[in-house]
Amino acid sequence: MGLAKRIIPCLDVDNGRVVKGVQFVDIRDAGDPVEVAKRYNEQGADEITFLDITASSDDRETTVHMVEAIAAEVFIPLTVGGGIRTCEDIRRMLNAGADKVGINTAAVFNPEFVREAAERFGSQCIVVAIDAKKVSAEGEPDKWEIFTHGGRKPTGLDAVEWAKKMVDLGAGEILLTSMDRDGTKNGFDLGVTRAISEAVHVPVIASGGVGNLQHLVDGVIEGKADAVLAASIFHFAEYSIQEAKETMHAAGIEMRL
Amino acid sequence: MTQSLKVALIDYGMGNLKSIKNVIAHIGEHEVLLTADPVEIDQADVVFLPGVGAFGDAMKNLRARNLDAILSEQVLVKKKPTIGICLGMQLLFERSAEGGDHQGLGWIPGHVEYLDLPAGFRVPHIGWNDLILEQDNPFFAGLGADSNFYFVHSYHAICDPQYLLATVDYGMKVTAAVQKDNVVGMQFHPEKSQTNGLETMRRFFQWAQEYRHA
């Protein structure tokens, strides 16, 4: 078998708890991050992404401890994102046991940070997270724009061009979230996923909107994503990782079963 | 009954020390020491060379601590069981083309080059790939059809087939594991490859014990 497509459960962590909201509001509690990570590891998750959605620096310390606790027990790759703004932030997370870091807003305000981070730590651990929203009207050619602050602030940046720029600066992977779809359970925005997958040579992780297992299949086959990220369908035990893998495998996708 | 080994996990400012320490702790039989100290390294049974980042920086860091000379004595003269992981494996070779032309440790003949893959194969090569065994070896035999390990890299080693233990199919044959005498290299991350990774680490230490006492 060649390279398998990946399923990545995502832990949005606020104040030391896994939470999940609809389009970043209406938050529900989904448990203790270490316990949740262990469960996904046992179910055969290919990686785990940990998104720190708290803003305060006190909570940042909690995050470091949590990453340490997860890395001590879960022997699959761990990506940590949220609030990564400096090389020092990256160093702390890697030292705590993260394998990759996700850079989001900081890349928008200072694209050179991506270059600096990739040169210092290597492209293989720099994931640039892109939050995109469709801005073209019905009937117009498709166009997606980068948004920051949980999808509230437009930046005027074209999402596909931005992804290419991030890869040129050294991003080793793109985590693409559709802000229109996030939390809706209506499936990935396959248009933007495919547009970015075809525009860059690094792996693309599709995120935002998974409501059932067919959505994961669509993300890989139609969206051409290399990995699919989902949160709530796994957190609330609607589906196990194993079921998701079996469904994707049955659809002809190479999976690690 | 296995005997506990002293593992010198080489601390030269590049990378995933914590994850490797976690795995060795999880296996539980061996003592692991994060170190760049010549005396401590000399007292150890096993040399463990981790590494994440760029080849040139890694060699610069090793030389700045005189570790290239210290480790070469341990590896080539004292013949200690040695393992390099990911970038740590690439450092075992003579040269790398990553970001210029850099000299490596040269413990295994060969060089490191960019993954020049057919169209449609993404670089970095990130994710789980099944190993293809190139020759019998104590580390991966019998893992079965699901012999998948986690890779994340943009460069790989090119060497004579006699040193090649395993490859993966990613648009071409990509070097996954190598061995020359007491020196073993793994391009993937056993410390991040779940059950298979833990099993491989256990087998490496078992091999190291046998090698030490042979």
Side-chain angles (χ1 to χ4, degrees):
Chain A
M1 189 187 81
L3 186 69
K5 301 293 179 185
R6 290 167 280 154
I7 294 187
I8 308 176
C10 178
L11 281 50
D12 293 290
V13 178
D14 182 20
N15 259 321
R17 299 289 292 177
V18 178
V19 296
K20 189 58 201 173
V22 175
Q23 283 160 328
F24 283 68
V25 291
D26 185 21
I27 304 252
R28 274 170 84 182
D29 187 284
D32 170 62
V34 181
E35 292 308 314
V36 174
K38 278 163 72 176
R39 187 169 79 228
Y40 292 147
N41 177 50
E42 281 156 20
Q43 290 179 3
D46 297 308
E47 291 185 27
I48 288 174
T49 286
F50 182 113
L51 277 185
D52 180 5
I53 62 168
T54 43
S56 86
S57 54
D58 290 357
D59 292 332
R60 204 65 72 202
E61 208 49 49
T62 314
T63 301
V64 171
H65 293 310
M66 219 148 256
V67 170
E68 282 175 347
I70 293 174
E73 297 191 61
V74 173
F75 302 111
I76 58 174
L78 178 62
T79 302
V80 180
I84 303 286
R85 294 187 183 89
T86 64
C87 281
E88 179 55 23
D89 293 334
I90 297 176
R91 197 188 59 79
R92 280 175 77 201
M93 288 308 172
L94 296 180
N95 283 349
D99 301 283
K100 304 188 254 190
V101 291
I103 302 175
N104 188 344
T105 309
V108 176
F109 293 123
N110 177 18
E112 279 301 311
F113 174 47
V114 173
R115 185 200 301 277
E116 195 189 333
E119 279 176 4
R120 183 147 160 210
F121 302 102
S123 289
Q124 83 292 328
C125 71
I126 305 300
V127 182
V128 170
I130 291 180
D131 293 341
K133 237 183 209 182
K134 196 166 189 176
V135 289
S136 50
E138 198 75 37
E140 287 178 358
D142 285 343
K143 189 173 162 50
W144 299 272
E145 194 177 312
I146 302 296
F147 279 67
T148 61
H149 298 85
R152 294 189 303 275
K153 287 198 182 169
T155 62
L157 298 164
D158 177 79
V160 177
E161 290 309 312
W162 180 250
K164 282 157 72 175
K165 181 175 176 179
M166 291 298 102
V167 172
D168 287 343
L169 287 172
E173 219 170 8
I174 298 290
L175 166 56
L176 171 66
T177 303
S178 160
M179 301 311 295
D180 304 305
R181 299 300 181 93
D182 196 55
T184 63
K185 299 199 167 242
N186 292 329
F188 296 121
D189 181 333
L190 297 171
V192 71
T193 306
R194 186 174 189 139
I196 289 180
S197 291
E198 287 176 345
V200 300
H201 64 79
V202 303
V204 173
I205 305 162
S207 156
V210 175
N212 61 50
L213 302 182
Q214 184 58 36
H215 291 152
L216 302 176
V217 172
D218 295 342
V220 171
I221 291 178
E222 288 179 45
K224 303 202 166 191
D226 302 279
V228 286
L229 182 141
S232 48
I233 61 161
F234 299 129
H235 293 340
F236 303 110
E238 288 164 60
Y239 303 98
S240 70
I241 307 277
Q242 192 59 37
E243 282 175 291
K245 287 187 153 186
E246 280 161 11
T247 300
M248 292 173 79
H249 180 70
I253 299 171
E254 288 205 54
M255 301 300 296
R256 184 177 72 101
L257 292 174
Chain B
M1 181 64 198
T2 49
Q3 214 176 329
S4 174
L5 294 166
K6 256 191 197 158
V7 182
L9 180 55
I10 308 302
D11 183 5
Y12 64 110
M14 299 297 283
N16 53 345
L17 297 175
K18 183 75 170 263
S19 302
I20 289 172
K21 203 172 172 221
N22 283 339
V23 157
I24 301 173
H26 187 84
I27 292 172
E29 292 169 29
H30 310 292
E31 184 189 339
V32 59
L33 208 60
L34 259 74
T35 181
D37 178 72
V39 176
E40 288 182 342
I41 293 172
D42 190 56
Q43 288 166 350
D45 302 301
V46 173
V47 173
F48 204 124
L49 190 63
V52 168
F55 193 100
D57 291 345
M59 283 308 298
K60 204 164 69 187
N61 285 6
L62 285 171
R63 286 195 197 102
R65 293 161 174 80
N66 199 31
L67 283 166
D68 51 339
I70 293 165
L71 295 177
S72 288
E73 199 209 332
Q74 299 292 321
V75 173
L76 301 178
V77 182
K78 301 205 166 175
K79 299 274 180 199
K80 286 191 182 166
T82 299
I83 184 168
I85 298 284
C86 196
L87 175 64
M89 159 183 170
Q90 298 180 2
L91 297 171
L92 307 175
F93 290 89
E94 294 162 307
R95 318 200 69 79
S96 171
E98 184 180 355
D101 178 28
H102 299 280
Q103 202 185 335
L105 294 165
W107 301 335
I108 302 181
H111 67 279
V112 176
E113 59 182 41
Y114 187 70
L115 284 171
D116 194 7
L117 303 171
F121 288 89
R122 295 172 187 276
V123 180
H125 170 222
I126 300 183
W128 299 79
N129 235 147
D130 284 346
L131 293 191
I132 300 162
L133 290 193
E134 298 291 335
Q135 55 180 295
D136 281 344
N137 69 77
F139 311 110
F140 315 117
L143 290 177
D146 299 320
S147 57
N148 43 47
F149 289 83
Y150 186 80
F151 289 78
V152 49
H153 63 124
S154 303
Y155 288 78
H156 80 137
I158 307 291
C159 66
D160 191 279
Q162 66 174 304
Y163 307 122
L164 212 50
L165 297 185
T167 56
V168 293
D169 176 13
Y170 186 56
M172 64 177 206
K173 236 183 209 197
V174 172
T175 302
V178 293
Q179 181 181 10
K180 180 177 186 287
D181 308 322
N182 56 320
V183 183
V184 176
M186 297 182 188
Q187 177 61 63
F188 53 84
H189 288 273
E191 79 283 12
K192 291 290 167 179
S193 296
Q194 219 199 12
T195 321
N196 286 344
L198 289 168
E199 177 60 23
T200 294
M201 283 285 90
R202 268 189 212 102
R203 291 186 189 185
F204 168 77
F205 287 118
Q206 198 178 346
W207 168 82
Q209 282 162 336
E210 287 160 13
Y211 196 94
R212 281 298 270 169
H213 298 106

